[in-house]
Amino acid sequence: MTQSTSNAAATSAVSGASAKRGFWSSRMAFVLAATGSAVGLGNIWKFPYITGENGGGAFVLVYLLCIAVVGIPIMMAEVMIGRRGGRSPINSMRILAERDRLSSRWKWLAGVGVLASFLILSFYSVIGGWAVSYVGTAASGQLSGQSAEVIGAIFSGLLGDPGKLLIWHSLFMALTMLVVARGLRGGLERAVTILMPALFVLLLLLVGYAMTTGHFGQAASFLFRPDFSSLTTEAVLVALGHAFFTLSLGMGVMMAYGSYLNKNVSIAKTSLLVSLMDTGVALLAGLAIFPIVFANGLEPGAGPGLIFQTLPLAFGQMPLGSLFGTLFFVLLVFAAWTSAISLLEPLVEWLEEQKGMNRLVSTLGAGSLCWLLGIASILSLNEWSGFAPLGMFAAFEGKTVFDLLDYLTANILLPLGGLLVAVFVGWFMARQALENELSLRGPWFGLWYGVLRYVTPVAVAIVFIYNLV
Ligand code: TRP
């Protein structure tokens, strides 16, 4: 697959503004880095639980539609901005705007992204910490043969203990800072080459196990038979927001990675490939989890704890379960780790470029601030679980700090960032430049352009307005 030279080139290129700018030397290196960012907790942790909370099939359909008509076109637009600008996201936006004699304020679009990435990472790291702690739980054999009640109690025990959560959150954040501080080293890229396929295989294995529970059909129809009567307008917003979240869109990550992409690589094909792999992992996770949910009479709408209460049950019952369980949580940690790195990177790059700090200092600064904010998310799972800071507004009733961070980023900041990207590329950049950059044959360019100009912005705007009123 990937040559080791390409990894080295790719990773040194990503390591910061001060490094000599190069290109990914193979298309695969870009695909791996982008997939590493896209595939994460969003696919395995978040997708199943929001699908469960929002009633299944109809929600999944809307989500797939959002990936197709909003996600993929915006991913192409972001990668293109990055490649054309050739700098960090904020500066790429500025350069492109100046080239077309537009306001340089467009660069603040990427600024929203940097803020969003900071907020996301603060709670992402807390969940990453859950995954780290479950590596130990699975390895110690505590899960074998346990009932749903015991497994639920292990999970509640973790959430109820701020001290434990803090340790795991700190460990996860430290892992993330370690890689970012050293620049993305060749080791990580190489690890992704092995770990992503391994995660895929293990998910397939879990799906195989799920088929033996006798509830696979029920799960498949829950996931794929749409019942529109159970679809709320909030669910549509959640599906849209999740399309952005899961593809790492709306905050410049794809711009940053695209800025190292060689001119002769097809942006459309690579974006499509990354999106397909990301969606594939999410659907597999759903097919692995819901049969276990139904077979054990669990609640599909159990919320953020869903995978931590279902998969351990499966591991507890299958032969060599402790081994597979440990392996699974190790891979989950890796998936989360490669995503977390891509969340910290833009802020660190910006601090380096704008504030002239060196990489170590900017990583320590940004990482510690994020870690500190993470503590609020930890407390909102236990001590502050009844505290809803914006509870006076009906829309935020009962939402804890953790819920608010998730809601604000996924449902507001990311779609807003994506909307602005679509408007900028679709309505402000010169059409000729886009044609040159994408070099799509036949009707494909027209299709992409039309969707990006009309469908994407209108869809995002409608969902927004609908939810505000
Ligand atoms: N896509 C990752 C996931 O699904 C999360 C993530 C990484 C992300 N980088 C991002 C989300 C940038 C939004 C923007 O777990």
Side-chain angles (χ1 to χ4, degrees), residues 37-43 120 124 244-249 251 253 339 342-343 414:
S37 169
V39 174
L41 294 171
N43 306 64
I120 292 174
Y124 202 87
F244 283 98
F245 186 88
T246 192
L247 294 177
S248 299
L249 298 178
M251 48 157 278
V253 167
S339 300
S342 80
L343 283 165
L414 298 182

Side-chain angles (χ1 to χ4, degrees), residues 97-134:
E98 281 169 3
R99 197 182 287 168
D100 288 345
R101 301 209 183 75
L102 304 170
S103 162
S104 67
R105 281 197 211 110
W106 276 107
K107 72 179 182 203
W108 291 114
L109 189 169
V112 174
V114 172
L115 174 70
S117 67
F118 176 77
L119 298 177
I120 292 174
L121 184 58
S122 76
F123 70 84
Y124 202 87
S125 168
V126 175
I127 317 294
W130 298 358
V132 179
S133 99
Y134 266 74

